[in-house]
């Protein structure tokens, strides 16, 4: 999956004032089947509704999923909670034969790819 393509897909959430997590559900060729944005009422964290995300992935028959969220603080460095949630998502998707291709963290003018950092 092309990093620039994913970054462009998720760019609209970068400047939000609350955390938003977004999921792109993809076929095996990386074509977008559907998107989901989940807005938090908080500026510091977001609860990822695993059941909803899994239901979406299965309903789209997604083979791949890309995930991203913004940090309203502007700092794109992944938090400990970001890593914990990513590991949970990877574990659940792996059990279903779905691959999380990347988790991007968007800040002010910066994007961190957990895949590029070797964290996936």
């Amino acid at each position: 999956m092309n990093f620039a393509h994913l970054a462009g897909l998720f760019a609209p959430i970068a400047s939000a004032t609350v955390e938003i997590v977004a999921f792109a559900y993809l076929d095996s060729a990386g074509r977008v089947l559907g998107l989901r944005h989940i807005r938090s009422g908080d500026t510091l964290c977001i609860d990822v509704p695993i059941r909803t995300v899994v239901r979406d992935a299965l309903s789209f028959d997604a083979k791949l999923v890309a995930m991203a969220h913004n940090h309203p603080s502007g700092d794109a460095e992944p938090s400990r909670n970001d890593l914990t949630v990513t590991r949970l998502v990877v574990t659940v998707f792996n059990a279903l034969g779905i691959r999380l291709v990347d988790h991007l963290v968007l800040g002010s003018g910066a994007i961190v790819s957990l895949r590029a950092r070797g964290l996936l």
Side-chain angles (χ1 to χ4, degrees), residues 14-31:
S15 61
T17 58
V18 296
E19 279 207 21
I20 297 174
V21 65
F23 291 87
Y25 303 98
L26 313 165
D27 67 11
S28 59
R31 291 182 295 257

Side-chain angles (χ1 to χ4, degrees), residues 9-86:
L9 188 63
F10 295 123
I13 70 169
S15 61
T17 58
V18 296
E19 279 207 21
I20 297 174
V21 65
F23 291 87
Y25 303 98
L26 313 165
D27 67 11
S28 59
R31 291 182 295 257
V32 177
L33 302 169
L35 296 167
R36 175 169 303 265
H37 292 82
I38 302 160
R39 180 178 289 273
S40 171
D42 196 334
T43 59
L44 300 176
C45 68
I46 192 161
D47 182 31
V48 174
I50 297 297
R51 296 181 110 186
T52 301
V53 173
V54 166
R55 184 174 44 244
D56 287 347
L58 293 174
S59 70
F60 286 116
D61 195 26
K63 305 299 182 216
L64 308 169
V65 175
M67 175 181 178
H69 78 283
N70 66 315
H71 280 175
S73 68
D75 181 3
E77 278 303 307
S79 69
R80 180 175 292 138
N81 185 60
D82 295 341
L83 300 176
T84 300
V85 167
T86 302

